[in-house]
Amino acid sequence: MMLFFFCITAFGHMFNYDSPSALVETLKEELDINDFWYNWFYSIYSWPNVIMAVLGGIIVDVVGRRFAVLLFCGIVFTGQVTWALGFTFRNYWIMFVGRFIFGIGSESLTLTMDYLVSYWFYGNEVILAMGILISNESLSDWANFMVSPVIAERFGAVYAPWAGTFISGVSLMGAFIVAYLDKKGQAIVDKDAEEEERLEKEEADAEAEENGKDESGESGESDTEEESESFRISDFRHLSFSYWVWVGALVAYYCCSFPFVAIAGDWIHEKWDYSEEESSRATSFYSLAAVFFAPTTGVLLDKYGGLGIMIIVGPLGTLGILVLWGTVGAVLTPYVLMGLMGVLYSCAAAMQGGVPRLVPERYLGTAYGVSYSLMNLFLAVCNLVVGIVQAQFSWNAVLYIFIGLAIFSTCCAVLVNSLNQCCWGRLNWSKEKMAYYETLGTLVVQAEHENDDDDQQDDDEETYSINTEQDLLVQ
């Protein structure tokens, strides 16, 4: 049930993310803007998240995930209302501000949802849950490309952004339900933890009576210290080199994927001479393919492993599709090309699901925040560069940019796997293997703790013996 409302909460902001792309020709005509100013709708979305993504991660870690999901979903709704008002009055700058506000909340909301999935499904089908969440986001993106042009054509362009505003409002209500379910679920978890702690304390007290010492106090002090930990700047030291290489693969992959989809409708319109509605329908096949393949990928990776390998398949396959687009693209239908790219986008589930295997749970919020911050920084720059190149040069020049990014992402993915093989190969483990080694690690830690207690007892007895001998010598 919780995953269902995760999907409801995430549906609204992903539905409205590609609103400019679904209505690209309408926006250019109604607002009288060129390609450069159109691409600013995507760049201004990304710029605030260079900072907000990190702050969002800190908010999740420090203030709490329930407050974060309500805050960011409310900001998304406010931004979408502003965007719709700007379109109603045909005012570019009001829409510009709306996209800015929308961007502040959207990426931070995505970060929070990823954190919630990692928290509630950590070590238990987390990749499948990520796949379902991405499938839901792709479904909302597909719905936008299918519905918005139809609404604009049959009822008037002004009604399309207000339809998105209604859907964003439904997602806001879903966020309140998520906060409630999270609080209720955490209460159950805490109750079970308290019961387990009580049983462990009783067992420790019984052992203390036999050994002549009180072990329960030491355990309580450790728990208090662990709970009192808060975010520190030094937390960034705990993000490994493998994590940073993974971020490079993720950022480059999204930069050759999202900006491409943003201009795909316009590109299809010119290259295949499609209408705006038909161009949006062809572009929607990108999201439609991901709807079906993202959860399937998650199921297979959970059962058989191979997450690290899938991180390579995504950018490498996208590189092949981009080459086909530039060479024999005119022969192939854009429906096939966009559909194949959507299948490869399903690998994003693997990329996002890799974070818990590269970063300790304590730093997940910060890790997601850093990755989304860097991703938005480069997406903002990439969208501007694409707009300039598209206006000054040609479509082929834009294609070369995407091909270069796909090559870089593939190289980083290969390096991540190479580093991973030197560290037990956790990225490619299946769910069962992960659970086995986590259980084994817990048993090892408990055994080490018991050995430390035995050593401490021996040290106490030796100290008592030495002190007794010294007292006798003094006498």
Side-chain angles (χ1 to χ4, degrees), residues 88-123:
T88 301
F89 294 108
R90 302 298 192 274
N91 189 304
Y92 176 85
W93 295 109
I94 294 179
M95 299 176 70
F96 187 85
V97 172
R99 286 292 287 185
F100 178 82
I101 299 173
F102 182 85
I104 290 176
S106 183
E107 289 300 313
S108 297
L109 178 61
T110 301
L111 180 153
T112 307
M113 301 310 298
D114 288 345
Y115 181 87
L116 282 166
V117 170
S118 298
Y119 180 84
W120 286 108
F121 294 89
Y122 183 79

Side-chain angles (χ1 to χ4, degrees), residues 114-433:
D114 288 345
Y115 181 87
L116 282 166
V117 170
S118 298
Y119 180 84
W120 286 108
F121 294 89
Y122 183 79
N124 181 24
E125 300 179 347
V126 62
I127 304 175
L128 173 60
M130 284 286 190
I132 293 175
L133 193 62
I134 290 177
S135 177
N136 168 76
E137 293 173 350
S138 299
L139 177 64
S140 62
D141 202 34
W142 171 80
N144 170 55
F145 280 109
M146 294 297 293
V147 173
S148 294
V150 174
I151 293 177
E153 183 177 350
R154 298 185 181 180
F155 302 100
V158 70
Y159 290 100
W162 286 110
T165 303
F166 171 78
I167 294 175
S168 184
V170 173
S171 293
L172 180 59
M173 290 187 289
F176 280 95
I177 299 176
V178 166
Y180 168 76
L181 292 177
D182 181 83
K183 183 177 181 179
K184 185 176 180 180
Q186 189 63 52
I188 296 174
V189 171
D190 291 341
K191 184 178 180 180
D192 293 341
E194 289 177 0
E195 180 66 18
E196 183 178 354
E197 183 180 356
R198 184 184 65 80
L199 294 175
E200 290 179 354
K201 186 176 180 180
E202 290 179 355
E203 182 179 353
D205 290 340
E207 293 180 357
E209 292 179 359
E210 296 178 0
N211 298 331
K213 65 175 186 177
D214 185 9
E215 298 178 353
S216 60
E218 297 176 1
S219 175
E221 182 180 353
S222 175
D223 293 341
T224 304
E225 290 177 358
E226 183 177 355
E227 291 177 359
S228 64
E229 291 180 355
S230 59
F231 173 80
R232 296 183 298 271
I233 298 298
S234 59
D235 287 351
F236 291 104
R237 294 187 298 102
H238 300 277
L239 304 179
S240 65
F241 178 69
S242 296
Y243 163 80
W244 291 110
V245 178
W246 170 87
V247 169
L250 179 71
V251 169
Y253 180 77
Y254 276 119
C255 282
C256 73
S257 180
F258 284 3
F260 179 86
V261 176
I263 64 173
D266 198 16
W267 203 338
I268 293 171
H269 173 72
E270 291 188 16
K271 189 168 186 175
W272 281 272
D273 196 24
Y274 283 6
S275 65
E276 181 180 31
E277 183 176 345
E278 192 173 4
S279 298
S280 294
R281 190 180 300 116
T283 306
S284 71
F285 268 59
Y286 174 89
S287 302
L288 184 62
V291 169
F292 296 101
F293 283 93
T296 303
T297 303
V299 171
L300 294 176
L301 291 176
D302 265 337
K303 187 173 183 179
Y304 300 106
L307 186 150
I309 297 174
M310 191 61 64
I311 292 176
I312 300 176
V313 172
L316 184 61
T318 301
L319 174 62
I321 299 301
L322 291 172
V323 172
L324 287 175
W325 186 283
T327 53
V328 296
V331 179
L332 299 176
T333 170
Y335 290 93
V336 174
L337 293 173
M338 295 303 297
L340 289 174
M341 287 198 70
V343 172
L344 294 167
Y345 174 69
S346 302
C347 299
M351 286 191 168
Q352 295 180 13
V355 180
R357 303 193 182 192
L358 298 172
V359 178
E361 183 182 3
R362 165 71 178 83
Y363 310 105
L364 276 179
T366 302
Y368 277 121
V370 171
S371 64
Y372 278 110
S373 176
L374 293 175
M375 183 178 71
N376 280 280
L377 171 62
F378 285 96
L379 278 175
V381 174
C382 187
N383 278 303
L384 286 180
V385 171
V386 167
I388 295 173
V389 172
Q390 181 183 351
Q392 299 295 327
F393 299 97
S394 64
W395 287 109
N396 286 334
V398 174
L399 187 63
Y400 295 149
I401 296 175
F402 294 142
I403 290 175
L405 289 168
I407 293 174
F408 180 80
S409 179
T410 303
C411 293
C412 288
V414 172
L415 180 57
V416 167
N417 278 268
S418 300
L419 294 171
N420 179 62
Q421 292 304 317
C422 299
C423 303
W424 291 42
R426 281 170 53 90
L427 277 176
N428 289 300
W429 286 356
S430 64
K431 180 185 67 176
E432 288 77 8
K433 192 171 183 179

Side-chain angles (χ1 to χ4, degrees), residues 3-26:
L3 184 59
F4 171 77
F5 284 103
F6 285 174
C7 293
I8 295 295
T9 303
F11 193 93
H13 80 101
M14 285 306 299
F15 180 91
N16 293 296
Y17 170 78
D18 271 322
S19 291
S21 181
L23 301 171
V24 53
E25 295 299 325
T26 301

Side-chain angles (χ1 to χ4, degrees), residues 48-65 68-69 71-72 104-105 107-109 111-112 115 365-366 368-370 372-373:
N49 289 293
V50 175
I51 298 175
M52 275 304 303
V54 175
L55 292 179
I58 295 174
I59 289 173
V60 172
D61 282 337
V62 177
V63 180
R65 54 189 181 273
V69 72
L71 173 65
F72 296 135
I104 290 176
E107 289 300 313
S108 297
L109 178 61
L111 180 153
T112 307
Y115 181 87
T366 302
Y368 277 121
V370 171
Y372 278 110
S373 176

